[in-house]
Amino acid sequence: MARGRRVKAQAPSKGGVGFGAAGTGAAGAPAGAGRAGGADAAALRARLRARGAPAARTRVARLEEELEEARQQLYVAEAAEGFSAAGGAAGGAAGGAAADALVFRQAPTFFDCYPSSVKVYAEVRAPSGELLRVPRRRIAIKNGAESVDVYDTSGPQNVDVREGLPALRAPWVAARAPGGPRRQTQMWAAKQGIVTPEMAFCAAREGADPEFVRAEVARGRAIIPANKRHVELEPTVIGRKFHTKVNANFGNSAVTSSIEEEVEKLQWSTMWGADTVMDLSTGDNIHETREWIMRNSPVPVGTVPIYQCLEKANGDVAGITWELFRETLLEQAEQGVDYWTIHAGVLLEFVPLTAERLTGIVSRGGSIHAKHMLINDHTQNFAYQHWDDILDICAEYDISLSIGDGLRPGCIKDANDEAQFGELRVQGELTRRAWEKNVQVMNEGPGHVPLNKVQENMDKQLDWCSEAPFYTLGPLATDIAPAYDHITSAIGAATIGAAGTALLCYVTPKEHLGLPDRDDVKQGLIAYKIAAHASDLAKGHPRAQIRDDALSAARFEFRWEDQFNLSLDPVTARSFHDETLPADASKSAHFCSMCGPKFCSMKITQEVREIFGSDETAASANSFLTAAAAAEPLAPDAQAEADEGMLEMSAKFREMGDEIYHPEDEIPTGR
Ligand code: SF4
């Protein structure tokens, strides 16, 4: 093995120049020292020490590199064999016997959730030669005569969770720029002008040019969270010039949940469109739970490492040390975590600024760091002090940072205060330092913000954090609706998403009330897919418009099946329709039970079009409407005639008692 060769080659030189004796105090006089003696010997020893330190550093660096290579080869080999053979999702996580005891429920299948959809793969060749299979969901419409393709996050289907997902990225990682530096992050490659397979994959998903993805990653405006160890990942790009993305949180607590439930929530999240997930486990078996999640997640997985660190310290903040935190980071890095929320911007000087708040510090991570600083004689935040060390670990594994907003407002009253914005400014400094080490970054944002204060958050983040992607929790637009905070927050999320936030962290109906279950996860995701899609429409994303137009057309043409199938939640849409009109014949009816057949405005409009008759007259009617919409002035004669007609109709409306609707027999016929 290479490592053995190196050690052997060093042995003679160590004895030959007596380096060991001078540098370590080990037995045996150096040969040179014996000849020179006295002051000369001391000078020689000093020279050798000076030479020895850099040489030792070089050797250590080489050995680390070889160790990393060996680890990578082992990992790729294990991935190729399948995780079951190597211990896999089951063995690696909980150990054989414990894994056997787990009982996984069969979650509803892809087809159960999306009838009339199939998963298709676009085959794309990366510039480096890899053949990429990029997933999409194809929705059949018009009885299969046409289809609409949409972004798909559901991952490979029909996979045994004990086996884990296929190791899609293993060959991509193995083939990384041979001879290049060890720390080949996506940002490093982007700055070198290299389009990685991950970038090409994301570009195909987005319908964007791979070169554009590369340029955005190089500039720091977009990130591709993709730990080298998370080989099951189907990469996604997060940036404001791409589809607005949605994150789903789950994870156990000390009170409830199990590995099986958390894996189920993961599968349920990706089925309903989660672009990333965060495992926020704080209960038992944190490591094992995460291992199951990593091996079964097709989307980037984020964590808040201080949670596990606190668990390791038995829940005692005083027991947290940098060493324990670093150990936790390395443990999670090895498992493949793609991004970390680290609250390094919560500085000591900001803590007093929260004293007058209505709800103080509401971020778990923020409050842990604040307490840690206070009980350690007001020392500065250790994550801030060790930022460079954290960056080195991130660069090693290509882990992205999601710089936490530990001082985010926890209620409407506290929004946009000094503490919140003080931390955001520090986030900017930390972002630029990360970029110097080619570590990808996004910035976390609030929280609870009234709609009139949302834009200021976006503006300041873009300005102070040099346009790194913004990742916000909601924000909740009001605090008065516990049990409906997926809605209060989706309102804020759509507003800030339209302004340019790249990743929206979902909120479930259980927010502020309890740990969400599988159904809550779905509710939260649907609310946030609406917010993200509304943001994309507002930003003018062409693919968002295509899907919207397809559904609008289906609705107008009474293609009920297509309307269901093009919706975010086809099964629920169908069931709501069928509650009142269940018969098959009603799927072609030109009305629904909301307004009924006589008052269906869509039907009436179609009849109006039919009255216009030929395509030519319809076209002329359309051109009239277009001209009106564009506020084109009418010719003077036509304007006079129109004004006269308006006055006449107005008088008639007043004559009839200013009422819009009248019994049929009261309506005068003719003009
Ligand atoms: S009845 Fe009303 S709600 Fe139903 S399709 Fe017609 S216009 Fe739409």
Side-chain angles (χ1 to χ4, degrees):
M1 187 180 165
R3 187 160 75 165
R5 281 203 309 276
R6 295 246 180 239
V7 172
K8 217 171 162 187
Q10 294 298 333
S13 92
K14 183 177 173 183
V17 296
F19 170 82
T24 64
R35 281 196 301 275
D40 285 351
L44 181 59
R45 275 199 297 272
R47 276 211 322 274
L48 288 171
R49 262 203 306 273
R51 266 206 341 245
R57 268 198 289 275
T58 308
R59 278 206 311 280
V60 168
R62 262 197 231 123
L63 289 170
E64 275 179 353
E65 228 165 274
E66 285 171 12
L67 181 61
E68 170 61 21
E69 264 171 43
R71 273 201 192 124
Q72 196 136 308
Q73 283 165 6
L74 178 64
Y75 199 76
V76 170
E78 283 179 355
E81 285 167 16
F83 277 94
S84 59
D100 288 345
L102 298 178
V103 181
F104 293 95
R105 274 198 299 180
Q106 171 62 57
T109 66
F110 181 86
F111 184 72
D112 292 334
C113 299
Y114 300 113
S116 204
S117 283
V118 289
K119 216 171 161 76
V120 294
Y121 290 89
E123 295 205 332
V124 176
R125 186 70 67 180
S128 43
E130 293 87 353
L131 184 66
L132 313 176
R133 298 182 74 241
V134 182
R136 290 179 193 159
R137 182 162 66 86
R138 178 159 293 167
I139 308 168
I141 59 171
K142 299 187 178 173
N143 293 320
E146 292 179 21
S147 62
V148 176
D149 285 0
V150 295
Y151 199 104
D152 177 66
T153 59
S154 61
Q157 300 296 303
N158 305 317
V159 175
D160 182 346
V161 295
R162 291 168 196 280
E163 300 285 326
L165 298 179
L168 174 75
R169 289 179 66 227
W172 309 356
V173 173
R176 280 198 179 173
R182 196 174 70 220
R183 294 176 173 176
Q184 294 186 26
T185 65
Q186 294 294 326
M187 188 176 224
W188 172 84
K191 287 181 183 173
Q192 309 303 306
I194 299 169
V195 173
T196 62
E198 286 84 356
M199 292 173 203
F201 191 97
C202 293
R205 283 186 118 172
E206 296 281 336
D209 181 353
E211 174 54 29
F212 180 67
V213 174
R214 184 206 63 75
E216 287 294 291
V217 172
R219 170 63 181 75
R221 275 196 296 247
I223 66 168
I224 301 176
N227 183 330
K228 290 191 287 188
R229 297 272 184 267
H230 188 192
V231 288
E232 301 84 355
L233 175 70
E234 292 177 345
T236 190
V237 62
I238 299 167
R240 73 181 197 278
K241 300 194 176 177
F242 302 100
H243 281 101
T244 307
K245 304 296 189 301
V246 167
N247 174 73
N249 291 333
F250 48 79
N252 69 18
S253 78
V255 179
T256 182
S257 200
S258 64
I259 288 174
E260 294 97 311
E261 282 174 76
E262 296 313 312
V263 170
E264 195 177 44
K265 285 182 212 168
L266 161 71
Q267 294 177 319
W268 208 225
S269 298
T270 55
M271 184 69 81
W272 293 109
D275 297 284
T276 68
V277 296
M278 289 194 80
D279 172 16
L280 303 183
S281 292
T282 54
D284 295 335
N285 302 319
I286 291 181
H287 181 96
E288 291 77 8
T289 304
R290 189 169 51 241
E291 185 66 21
W292 282 92
I293 288 168
M294 292 308 315
R295 305 286 72 84
N296 284 285
S297 179
V299 301
V301 178
T303 64
V304 187
I306 197 77
Y307 295 174
Q308 188 183 10
C309 194
L310 183 62
E311 281 304 303
K312 287 183 177 184
N314 298 317
D316 180 5
V317 173
I320 294 177
T321 60
W322 158 246
E323 287 70 27
L324 191 63
F325 190 69
R326 182 175 181 276
E327 176 200 298
T328 308
L329 294 182
L330 288 170
E331 175 189 331
Q332 297 196 4
E334 280 291 321
Q335 284 187 299
V337 172
D338 300 288
Y339 67 96
W340 281 324
T341 293
I342 296 182
H343 302 87
V346 180
L347 300 190
L348 181 63
E349 50 269 41
F350 300 147
V351 178
L353 300 178
T354 62
E356 297 301 315
R357 282 179 161 186
L358 186 59
T359 56
I361 301 176
V362 297
S363 149
R364 280 188 282 196
S367 60
I368 294 168
H369 277 286
K371 186 172 176 187
H372 190 265
M373 288 186 276
L374 297 182
I375 60 179
N376 281 286
D377 301 328
H378 293 72
T379 49
Q380 190 51 282
N381 183 333
F382 70 83
Y384 180 79
Q385 289 180 309
H386 284 280
W387 191 240
D388 283 326
D389 299 315
I390 293 169
L391 294 176
D392 286 340
I393 297 172
C394 290
E396 191 75 32
Y397 291 85
D398 200 359
I399 295 169
S400 300
L401 280 167
S402 178
I403 306 177
D405 56 337
L407 301 179
R408 65 173 174 266
C411 67
I412 292 294
K413 186 169 183 292
D414 295 342
N416 293 17
D417 70 356
E418 217 181 324
Q420 181 198 337
F421 284 147
E423 185 186 15
L424 186 63
R425 270 192 193 277
V426 178
Q427 283 202 31
E429 173 210 325
L430 296 170
T431 297
R432 288 180 287 278
R433 282 171 60 188
W435 288 350
E436 282 170 19
K437 295 202 174 204
N438 297 320
V439 173
Q440 304 180 94
V441 175
M442 53 187 170
N443 307 116
E444 292 189 8
H448 297 240
V449 183
L451 291 179
N452 59 313
K453 291 187 177 178
V454 166
Q455 185 65 45
E456 186 184 3
N457 278 272
M458 191 72 238
D459 293 343
K460 284 189 161 53
Q461 189 273 335
L462 286 173
D463 184 11
W464 295 348
C465 302
S466 307
E467 298 185 71
F470 204 20
Y471 170 27
T472 60
L473 178 73
L476 281 74
T478 167
D479 290 338
I480 64 160
Y484 297 92
D485 277 336
H486 58 314
I487 298 174
T488 60
S489 64
I491 292 167
T495 309
I496 207 162
T501 289
L503 178 61
L504 304 172
C505 184
Y506 88 165
V507 171
T508 76
K510 289 273 174 64
E511 186 76 11
H512 305 115
L513 300 172
L515 194 70
D517 63 16
R518 197 183 76 178
D519 291 339
D520 301 317
V521 166
K522 180 182 170 187
Q523 291 299 315
L525 271 163
I526 297 292
Y528 271 70
K529 292 308 280 186
I530 296 168
H533 183 78
S535 302
D536 288 344
L537 284 173
K539 291 193 295 184
H541 197 297
R543 285 199 173 175
Q545 192 68 52
I546 289 169
R547 181 172 184 180
D548 234 79
D549 291 350
L551 196 143
S552 305
R555 178 175 289 158
F556 188 67
E557 292 163 18
F558 297 102
R559 287 184 277 114
W560 291 101
E561 295 288 350
D562 291 351
Q563 189 182 166
F564 305 150
N565 292 326
L566 285 163
S567 72
L568 288 173
D569 182 2
V571 174
T572 304
R574 173 190 293 274
S575 72
F576 283 8
H577 175 270
D578 288 1
E579 271 176 21
T580 46
L581 292 171
D584 277 352
S586 63
K587 303 295 187 309
S588 55
H590 283 206
F591 63 93
C592 73
S593 62
M594 184 167 176
C595 329
K598 284 190 187 161
F599 289 90
C600 177
S601 56
M602 298 258 195
K603 178 172 170 249
I604 295 167
T605 308
Q606 286 194 349
E607 287 164 358
V608 169
R609 288 195 174 176
E610 277 161 24
I611 292 165
F612 271 108
S614 69
D615 287 350
E616 215 172 277
T617 30
S620 91
N622 280 338
S623 66
F624 172 79
L625 292 171
T626 310
E632 285 286 332
L634 296 176
D637 287 353
Q639 187 63 58
E641 193 182 334
D643 289 347
E644 194 187 323
M646 293 288 186
L647 287 172
E648 191 184 328
M649 292 311 292
S650 232
K652 202 167 276 179
F653 183 70
R654 281 196 299 276
E655 261 170 41
M656 295 185 68
D658 290 351
E659 291 292 333
I660 295 175
Y661 297 114
H662 298 272
E664 219 166 324
D665 53 1
E666 285 180 15
I667 300 173
T669 52
R671 220 185 147 182

